């Protein structure tokens, strides 16, 4: 989609730019070089937006995620001696802990990037308000779900080859999604379970 960059310095900047992370937000070269070549003039409004985003990120991480972590750790360490309500409370707290932790550090990264004149897209869009798994992946870790869609699912043929090909492509894509998170059986199982639910 973009002309190859011949400058090793430009390539190094893209790889080493610390507010963009492999975990998220995953910033594509099109976005990074657009902002590198036509940098925002960082004005007072950008600083206010950036600081607000960073503070929200720290609040999500330090206030919500870390405090939920106390409940989660206690539950995981003592679930054998707990009743069903206590175990479910810990399990639900775990989901919220992951969200606040993940969304928190991506907010911090996006805010820091804004201070350097880079405008990265949001990585979360109220994912806890979803009603189905397809909607979930349009609101949770958006940079990841769109990356695997554009670079795995669509090149495999997407949903253009009939029912069998569509389901095959979903399973291959989400098998990769599991391996992306870690080369261990439970990550692979997680990726395949996402494929089952999406199917």
């Amino acid at each position: 989609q973009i002309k190859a960059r011949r400058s090793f310095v430009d390539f190094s900047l893209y790889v080493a730019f610390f507010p963009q992370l492999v975990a998220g937000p995953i910033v594509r070269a099109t976005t990074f070089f657009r902002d590198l070549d036509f940098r925002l003039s960082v004005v007072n409004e950008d600083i206010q937006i950036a600081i607000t985003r960073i503070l929200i990120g720290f609040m999500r991480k330090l206030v919500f995620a870390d405090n939920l972590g106390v409940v989660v750790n206690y539950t995981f360490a003592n679930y054998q001696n707990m009743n069903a309500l206590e175990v479910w409370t810990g399990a639900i707290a775990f989901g919220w802990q992951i969200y606040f932790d993940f969304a928190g550090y991506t907010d911090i990264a996006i805010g820091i990037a804004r201070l350097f004149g880079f405008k990265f897209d949001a990585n979360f869009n109220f994912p806890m308000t979803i009603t189905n798994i397809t909607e979930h992946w349009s609101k949770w870790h958006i940079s990841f779900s769109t990356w695997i869609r554009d670079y795995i699912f669509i090149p495999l043929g997407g949903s253009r080859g009939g029912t069998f090909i569509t389901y095959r492509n979903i399973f291959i894509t989400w098998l990769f999604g599991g391996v992306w998170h870690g080369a261990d059986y439970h990550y692979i199982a997680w990726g395949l379970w996402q494929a089952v639910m999406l199917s």
Side-chain angles (χ1 to χ4, degrees):
Q1 294 178 1
I2 61 171
K3 188 177 179 181
R5 304 292 286 218
R6 300 299 180 188
S7 166
F8 182 73
V9 172
D10 286 355
F11 171 76
S12 300
L13 280 170
Y14 174 58
V15 172
F17 190 61
F18 64 93
Q20 64 119 1
L21 309 166
V22 172
I26 301 165
V27 178
R28 300 188 193 195
T30 50
T31 301
F32 181 82
F33 289 121
R34 174 203 68 199
D35 292 350
L36 182 67
D37 294 339
F38 305 101
R39 191 84 51 86
L40 287 172
S41 297
V42 180
V43 296
N44 190 44
E45 181 185 2
D46 294 301
I47 295 169
Q48 290 173 356
I49 291 169
I51 297 298
T52 301
R53 194 86 188 231
I54 292 166
L55 290 175
I56 289 171
F58 274 113
M59 183 182 69
R60 284 177 167 169
K61 171 70 177 96
L62 299 175
V63 175
F64 296 118
D66 288 357
N67 284 303
L68 285 166
V70 174
V71 175
V72 171
N73 293 340
Y74 181 78
T75 303
F76 285 6
N78 300 290
Y79 67 91
Q80 302 94 335
N81 305 317
M82 294 179 159
N83 63 42
L85 180 61
E86 291 170 323
V87 172
W88 273 106
T89 300
I92 292 168
F94 180 57
W96 281 97
Q97 178 196 15
I98 291 173
Y99 166 65
F100 283 124
D101 189 75
F102 197 0
Y105 76 69
T106 57
D107 277 338
I108 294 167
I110 291 168
I112 291 171
R114 188 70 174 254
L115 291 174
F116 284 92
F118 291 82
K119 190 175 182 182
F120 296 162
D121 294 329
N123 205 28
F124 292 89
N125 184 19
F126 301 101
M128 299 309 211
T129 64
I130 56 96
T131 57
N132 61 61
I133 191 67
T134 304
E135 190 181 1
H136 170 79
W137 283 112
S138 69
K139 295 182 173 215
W140 174 280
H141 200 351
I142 298 165
S143 61
F144 169 73
S145 58
T146 55
W147 194 95
I148 63 171
R149 178 198 67 202
D150 293 348
Y151 290 99
I152 301 174
F153 183 70
I154 291 174
L156 286 170
S159 57
R160 295 184 304 273
T163 304
F164 175 78
I165 298 297
T166 298
Y167 289 128
R168 181 204 70 179
N169 294 345
I170 289 171
F171 273 85
I172 291 171
T173 301
W174 284 99
L175 175 64
F176 175 82
V179 173
W180 171 293
H181 285 82
D184 205 342
Y185 72 92
H186 61 277
Y187 290 116
I188 293 169
W190 172 86
L192 293 175
W193 178 241
Q194 299 303 309
V196 167
M197 291 190 293
L198 286 163
S199 296

